[in-house]
Amino acid sequence: QKQVAESGGGLVQHGGSLRLACAATGFTLRYYAIGWFRQAPGKEREGVSCISSNGGGTNYADSVKGRFTLSRDVAKNTVYLQMNSLKPEDTAVYYCAADRNDILNFCSITSTVRYDYWGQGTQVTVSS
């Protein structure tokens, strides 16, 4: 069974850091792009960042550029989202998702319909 699962959320102060992990089971990252999305109370889900299946392409939302960094460990089948300089407006439930997509250096944070498998989400709360 193909699944992704998030971990690493929590409560952090303004300016702090967290690292989220997205662990994939039942499939290999070599054929899937991984996206991170977030949803704050009363707001629509928005794309945060993604990494292509070959690891050569990444995208970041303007709101997180320079603060968030994606990486992946193919051996562990896990993608990491390092979040630095966190702000209260980063507070949300963060979801990772997998897109069966072997287009080199391509991934999308604007289209949720591309993504086939979604995790349950992990809460990130940034206090002011």
Side-chain angles (χ1 to χ4, degrees):
Q1 187 175 3
K2 298 180 178 67
Q3 293 180 332
V4 292
E6 308 91 344
S7 62
L11 174 64
V12 65
Q13 291 187 334
H14 187 178
S17 298
L18 282 174
R19 187 176 79 156
L20 305 183
C22 175
T25 56
F27 64 94
T28 174
L29 292 180
R30 298 184 190 278
Y31 302 108
Y32 285 78
I34 297 294
W36 282 95
F37 299 81
R38 66 186 181 187
Q39 188 165 19
K43 294 188 177 181
E44 292 187 355
R45 190 169 297 191
E46 63 172 346
V48 175
S49 184
C50 64
I51 186 165
S52 63
S53 57
N54 67 327
T58 54
N59 281 319
Y60 296 91
D62 288 344
S63 58
V64 306
K65 280 181 182 176
R67 299 188 298 122
F68 291 10
T69 304
L70 267 181
S71 63
R72 69 177 196 168
D73 186 330
V74 175
K76 294 183 177 180
N77 228 26
T78 300
V79 170
Y80 301 98
L81 181 66
Q82 178 67 43
M83 306 187 297
N84 298 328
S85 302
L86 283 162
K87 306 174 181 179
E89 51 263 45
D90 294 318
T91 296
V93 177
Y94 283 70
Y95 301 89
C96 72
D99 168 22
R100 179 61 173 96
N101 159 25
D102 55 6
I103 302 173
L104 295 179
N105 302 328
F106 173 78
C107 65
S108 172
I109 57 172
T110 60
S111 173
T112 58
V113 297
R114 297 189 58 93
Y115 289 85
D116 305 300
Y117 309 105
W118 290 80
Q120 294 298 307
T122 185
Q123 177 71 46
V124 171
T125 303
V126 184
S127 63
S128 56

